[in-house]
Amino acid sequence: MAAKVNVSLFVPEKLGTIDPLIYGHFSEHIGGVIYDGIWVGENSHIPNINGFRKDLVEKFRAIKPSVLRWPGGCFAEIYNWRDGIGPKEERPIIRNWWIGDDGRYETNEFGTHEFIEFCRLVGAEPYIAANITSMTPMDIRDWIDYCNSPAGTTTMARLREKNGHKEPFNVKYWGVGNETWGGGGNMTPEVYGHEFRKYSVIMRNSASNLCLIGSGANHNDWKWARDFLNVVENSDRNMGGFSLHFYCGTQGTATEFTENQYYRLLRQAADIKSAIDRNWGFVVGYGLEKHGRLVIDEWGCWHKGGSGPSADLINNNRQAAANNPNRVENLFEQQSTMRDAVVAALSLNIFNNNPEKILMTTVAQTVNNLHSLFLAGDGYMICTPTYHVFDMMKYHQGAKALRIISDAGEITYNNPENGREERIERLSLSASEKDGVITVTAANLSYNDELHFDLKAYGVKLQDVCEYELLTSDDVHHHNTPEEPEKVKLSKGILNVNDEIIIPPYSVATLRMKSI
Ligand code: AHR
C-alpha cells in the first residue's frame, strides 16, 4: 500500500543547536570491540595504521564520530589505567571483567595512549569513564594529571612524555563511574550520591575545564535519578552531564522477527523520549541545567547473541575453531538489519528534536558488539546498515534544529508479549539548518506501506534541486555479511523538491536543500 503524507517544515523556528557530541560512540574492552575490532597490532597481516585496523579507521572517520567513550562500561570498574601505559611487553595481563562470559584476558596492549591516538585518527573527542569502585580518588586524580598536565610540569606529565607523548591529551569529558546501580559498585542512589561528591571534588581539583558526567539511571528508573540528585543537589553544581542508559531488544532475534516484534522493538526505542523528559525534569528540578545536560552514553538494540560473523565462523568451521582455542565468539556480537537501522534513525531523530536537553549520546558499541556500526574479524570488515544511518545523518551535527511535523499518524499493532494493542508513529522526522543548507531525515517506520512524502517549507524559499540519500532494502531482515558486504547500502541522487518523494517501508531518507 501507499500512503500520502504532508510534511511541514517551519524554518524560522530554531529549537536549539544539535550538539555534534550527540553523534558519539562507545568502545569497551569487551568481546571483539578493541581486540580484533579496532586494534590488530602493528605486526598484524591485516592492513593497519600503527596497529589500528586501517579500513575501520577510514570508514569511521568518514562519518565524523564526534566523541568516543572508553574503556567501559562495566570493564571501566576494574580498569587500572597504569596497566595500559609504558612498554607493551611489560604491561600486565589481567582478568577482563567479562572473562566469565567469554574467557578473554586483557593484555593491556590498548591503553590510554592508544585510545587517544585512535581518537585523533578518527577525529573524535575522547571521553574517559573513570573507575570509582576499585580505584581511589587519588588514582583518578593521577590519571587526569597524566592526561592533562602541561609538558614538563608534574611527575605525571613527565611520565607521559617518557611514554612518548610530550603534549597533554587534554581530555575534557570524564565519567564519574558507570552504571553505579549495577556493575559499577552495585550502589544505592544515596551511596553513589556521596561517592560522586567525593570523587568529583578531587577530579575537578586535578585540572581546569573538565566536564564531569554523573552516572544516572537505567531506562525509566526515575526514582534512582531523583534519589541520586537529591544527595548531589547542594554540593556539586558543576555536573556537566547526567547520564542515562537505554537499551531495547529481545524481540525475536537480531535477524528473525515478526511484524509485531518489529513494531514492538521500535516502540521500545521510541520510549527513550519519555526517559529523556523524565530525567531532564529532574535535572531542571534540582537546578542543574545551568551547568549540564543529559548524556545518553549507552543506547541501542540488544538482541540475543550468536547472530554475528564470529559465531558463524565457529559454527560453520568447528575444526578451525577447535584448532585455535583462543577463537571464541565475540560476546554480545550481533547482526544489524534494516530494523536496527530504523531504530538508529528514530533515536537520532528524537535526539535532534531535543537539543536543549541533550549534550551527548554514545551508541553501544562501535564494532562487534550490540548495535554496532562495524563487524570485523580476521579477513573481513563490513559496515552495518546502522553505519549508513550515521553517515546520512552526520549533516545535523552542530546545526540548528527546526520544527518539522507531518499528518502521517500512527500504526496499530499487537504487542507480542501480552497481545495488547499498541501504537507507534508512522513517520519519524527531524530537520536542521547549517550554513544555508537544510537537512531533513525521515524514517518510514511502516512494515508494509511506502510513504508519498509531500514537503512544504515555511519561512524560506527553497531551490528546486535537492540532494537525496536513501537507505532501503527489499526485506527488513536484510543485513550485511562478510559474503555479501553490500547487500544493504546507501543510494544517492538528485530530485526536485516540488515532486512527490517516495520512501519505501522500513527505510530512511535524508534530503539536503538550499534556500534561494
Ligand atoms: O555495553 C555492554 C554493557 O552494558 C556495558 O558494559 C554496561 O555498562 C552495560 O550494562
Side-chain angles (χ1 to χ4, degrees):
M1 255 176 59
K4 167 131 196 253
V5 295
N6 295 297
V7 177
S8 305
L9 172 65
F10 302 108
V11 177
E13 188 183 2
K14 310 289 190 272
L15 306 179
T17 300
I18 299 169
D19 202 304
L21 299 176
I22 284 178
Y23 287 77
H25 302 266
F26 169 41
S27 296
E28 179 178 6
H29 289 241
I30 179 175
V33 179
I34 302 293
Y35 305 109
D36 283 2
I38 292 172
W39 176 260
V40 293
E42 294 96 331
N43 301 323
S44 172
H45 65 275
I46 296 168
N48 65 82
I49 306 169
N50 301 336
F52 306 99
R53 188 185 282 273
K54 185 168 184 283
D55 42 11
L56 186 142
V57 167
E58 287 164 356
K59 287 280 184 190
F60 202 18
R61 188 176 177 79
I63 59 163
K64 300 192 187 308
S66 53
V67 62
L68 187 62
R69 179 178 185 244
W70 173 86
C74 288
F75 174 81
E77 296 300 328
I78 53 120
Y79 187 59
N80 182 344
W81 65 273
R82 292 187 178 88
D83 291 349
I85 57 171
K88 287 202 170 55
E89 59 285 2
E90 290 171 20
R91 298 186 191 177
I93 297 170
I94 62 159
R95 292 170 60 82
N96 188 296
W97 166 278
W98 300 100
I99 193 168
D101 298 282
D102 65 2
R104 282 196 186 223
Y105 289 88
E106 170 58 46
T107 63
N108 280 304
E109 270 178 87
F110 189 103
T112 302
H113 288 253
E114 289 74 22
F115 170 59
I116 298 294
E117 188 181 352
F118 182 66
C119 285
R120 304 293 186 242
L121 278 173
V122 300
E125 275 288 322
Y127 164 20
I128 293 181
N131 171 352
I132 67 155
T133 48
S134 52
M135 296 209 95
T136 67
M138 282 297 275
D139 292 315
I140 304 306
R141 191 195 80 153
D142 286 350
W143 198 3
I144 297 171
D145 184 0
Y146 186 88
C147 289
N148 289 4
S149 289
T153 55
T154 64
T155 301
M156 284 294 147
R158 291 194 189 127
L159 182 59
R160 182 186 68 228
E161 183 172 355
K162 185 171 158 235
N163 289 332
H165 214 285
K166 185 173 179 189
E167 296 309 320
F169 295 142
N170 293 326
V171 179
K172 176 176 179 183
Y173 299 99
W174 291 84
V176 186
N178 168 71
E179 294 194 352
T180 47
W181 39 263
N186 209 8
M187 301 181 207
T188 62
E190 293 82 8
V191 168
Y192 176 54
H194 290 290
E195 291 298 300
F196 181 87
R197 291 168 73 133
K198 189 169 80 185
Y199 275 81
S200 60
V201 76
I202 302 296
M203 288 169 79
R204 180 145 322 95
N205 178 260
S206 320
S208 53
N209 301 324
L210 299 187
C211 178
L212 300 186
I213 295 162
S215 159
N218 193 27
H219 268 241
N220 268 318
D221 188 355
W222 59 271
K223 290 196 193 76
W224 207 95
R226 178 196 64 192
D227 295 346
F228 163 63
L229 292 177
N230 208 18
V231 175
V232 168
E233 184 197 20
N234 292 321
S235 64
D236 194 331
R237 291 196 159 265
N238 294 327
M239 182 161 44
F242 180 49
S243 101
L244 164 69
H245 285 185
F246 196 96
Y247 287 105
C248 52
T250 62
Q251 296 301 320
T253 68
T255 54
E256 289 168 24
F257 46 87
T258 63
E259 181 175 335
N260 281 331
Q261 286 172 328
Y262 164 87
Y263 282 129
R264 179 68 195 137
L265 183 78
L266 264 52
R267 173 74 258 165
Q268 290 174 330
D271 284 345
I272 200 169
K273 172 72 172 75
S274 66
I276 290 168
D277 289 344
R278 277 188 179 180
N279 280 279
W280 180 246
F282 285 110
V283 169
V284 176
Y286 283 99
L288 298 169
E289 84 284 4
K290 294 172 201 76
H291 308 288
R293 283 177 285 162
L294 297 177
V295 168
I296 306 169
D297 49 13
E298 289 186 32
W299 67 268
C301 298
W302 191 319
H303 301 300
K304 284 179 193 149
S307 59
S310 75
D312 287 349
L313 194 98
I314 289 165
N315 292 334
N316 300 337
N317 195 347
R318 294 211 160 270
Q319 191 54 45
N323 289 342
N324 179 0
N326 298 323
R327 193 70 187 91
V328 290
E329 177 190 329
N330 293 324
L331 183 64
F332 303 152
E333 179 182 292
Q334 62 188 33
Q335 259 298 353
S336 188
T337 64
M338 281 303 299
R339 178 175 67 158
D340 300 286
V342 173
V343 166
L346 167 64
S347 306
L348 291 168
N349 276 341
I350 292 171
F351 304 154
N352 283 347
N353 289 323
N354 289 276
E356 76 291 3
K357 301 180 188 131
I358 305 177
L359 168 68
M360 179 196 295
T361 89
T362 60
V363 63
Q365 299 196 16
T366 311
V367 49
N368 294 338
N369 193 276
L370 303 178
H371 203 147
S372 311
L373 281 78
F374 306 103
L375 293 166
D378 204 357
Y380 64 90
M381 200 318 271
I382 56 174
C383 297
T384 67
T386 292
Y387 171 87
H388 297 299
V389 171
F390 274 85
D391 188 15
M392 61 203 296
M393 293 185 74
K394 62 182 183 281
Y395 310 106
H396 292 294
Q397 293 188 25
K400 297 266 186 254
L402 308 175
R403 190 171 302 285
I404 185 166
I405 57 170
S406 85
D407 61 1
E410 292 181 318
I411 296 162
T412 305
Y413 68 96
N414 287 318
N415 180 333
E417 287 152 9
N418 56 24
R420 288 206 199 111
E421 201 173 89
E422 289 183 346
R423 288 168 187 207
I424 179 132
E425 62 180 341
R426 191 180 300 275
L427 177 64
S428 157
L429 292 165
S430 73
S432 66
E433 183 182 30
K434 190 178 172 186
D435 302 332
V437 182
I438 293 168
T439 302
V440 171
T441 298
N444 179 358
L445 307 195
S446 173
Y447 196 87
N448 300 303
D449 303 338
E450 66 181 27
L451 293 181
H452 291 217
F453 188 96
D454 191 6
L455 178 71
K456 293 271 176 298
Y458 295 88
V460 73
K461 182 98 180 75
L462 296 175
Q463 293 180 10
D464 288 344
V465 171
C466 145
E467 286 174 21
Y468 181 66
E469 298 186 11
L470 180 67
L471 186 70
T472 189
S473 200
D474 300 339
D475 188 322
V476 67
H477 304 90
H478 279 173
H479 53 275
N480 294 333
T481 62
E483 295 73 34
E484 281 187 286
E486 297 208 342
K487 191 170 184 78
V488 181
K489 62 178 187 198
L490 203 54
S491 56
K492 300 186 184 189
I494 303 283
L495 49 74
N496 189 312
V497 75
N498 302 310
D499 291 346
E500 205 172 56
I501 299 159
I502 296 174
I503 308 180
Y506 48 82
S507 301
V508 185
T510 285
L511 307 176
R512 303 258 297 146
M513 300 159 283
K514 284 191 183 143
S515 50
I516 293 174

